Amino acid sequence: STLMRSSAASDVYKRQPLWETPLMTALTIFLIAVSLSMDAFAVSVCGGMRLAEDRKFRGGLQYGAWFGIFQALMPFLGYHLGLYFAAWVDAYAHWIIFLILSWIGIGMIKEAHEEVSCKVITGPLTMLGLAVATSIDALGVGVGFAFEGLDIGPTVLEIGTITFCLSFMGCVFGSYIGMKGKAKAELMGGLVLVGLGIKSLLGHYYF
């Protein structure tokens, strides 16, 4: 009996693709979280370069709080929107995830090559606009989370925390990171999202 249970468990384990194991799922969520936060990181770098040294720490907390909260809120809203449509589009979920991640990733790659002039960013309305603008992509990713059946609570908490940390560091160390570092971060984030989109598609058809 013990041998049969062991054999059955082994068969289940063998049938489970590597990138659907808990470890790979956690790694995928981490990569998505870091990639999504690149826009917020870039804005924080830009803003930090314009702040006086004695204002960078406080500015970092401000950027981190605004961007972290909205970066967590948007996928949460997208997730519940996705649940509404999930039953209708389940057969095409892999294509939807691929298109969402690829579209966002390609957009980030294009933005990485655009010239941006940094300005001093102040005021709650300005921060609100930037927080929405840098997190709107996460709304679409949240729809994809619904199709994947992820536990949304820990997922958005991780995304928000990572965004807070990267935004804080981007602001505080903006002068050292510079525009080249900002562009490289956006480029890498875009490439990762495109790669994860392709992974989702290949995982459905070949693994």
Side-chain angles (χ1 to χ4, degrees):
S1 175
T2 303
L3 181 61
M4 291 176 63
R5 286 197 301 270
S6 176
S7 177
S10 177
D11 289 341
V12 170
Y13 178 76
K14 289 178 180 177
R15 287 196 300 269
Q16 187 180 30
L18 174 62
W19 51 31
E20 290 183 6
T21 61
L23 177 60
M24 291 304 292
T25 300
L27 177 60
T28 298
I29 293 172
F30 174 78
L31 290 174
I32 289 176
V34 172
S35 299
L36 287 176
S37 67
M38 285 299 99
D39 278 348
F41 173 76
V43 173
S44 300
V45 168
C46 208
M49 290 173 66
R50 293 292 183 178
L51 287 177
E53 287 297 326
D54 60 342
R55 295 182 58 195
K56 288 184 184 293
F57 185 84
R58 183 177 178 181
L61 293 177
Q62 181 183 19
Y63 281 85
W66 275 100
F67 295 152
I69 290 171
F70 274 82
Q71 202 74 274
L73 178 62
M74 288 297 185
F76 180 80
L77 296 176
Y79 174 84
H80 289 283
L81 182 64
L83 288 179
Y84 182 76
F85 296 104
W88 299 344
V89 298
D90 184 62
Y92 308 100
H94 50 283
W95 277 104
I96 294 173
I97 295 170
F98 166 71
L99 291 173
I100 289 174
L101 293 181
S102 297
W103 177 267
I104 297 171
I106 291 171
M108 291 179 65
I109 292 170
K110 289 181 178 178
E111 290 175 3
H113 294 89
E114 294 176 355
E115 292 292 331
V116 180
S117 59
C118 293
K119 300 178 181 179
V120 177
I121 302 168
T122 57
L125 288 180
T126 302
M127 288 304 303
L128 175 62
L130 288 171
V132 172
T134 56
S135 64
I136 198 68
D137 291 342
L139 184 70
V141 174
V143 174
F145 287 162
F147 298 146
E148 291 284 3
L150 295 178
D151 187 353
I152 194 61
T155 300
V156 297
L157 181 62
E158 180 176 349
I159 292 173
T161 302
I162 288 174
T163 302
F164 174 88
C165 293
L166 290 178
S167 298
F168 176 82
M169 290 189 294
C171 181
V172 173
F173 301 108
S175 299
Y176 303 99
I177 296 169
M179 298 304 289
K180 289 185 178 180
K182 163 193 164 300
K184 289 179 180 179
E186 287 186 308
L187 177 62
M188 289 303 299
L191 290 173
V192 168
L193 288 180
V194 172
L196 291 174
I198 295 173
K199 175 184 95 59
S200 175
L201 200 60
L202 294 178
H204 177 80
Y205 284 109
Y206 299 108
F207 298 94

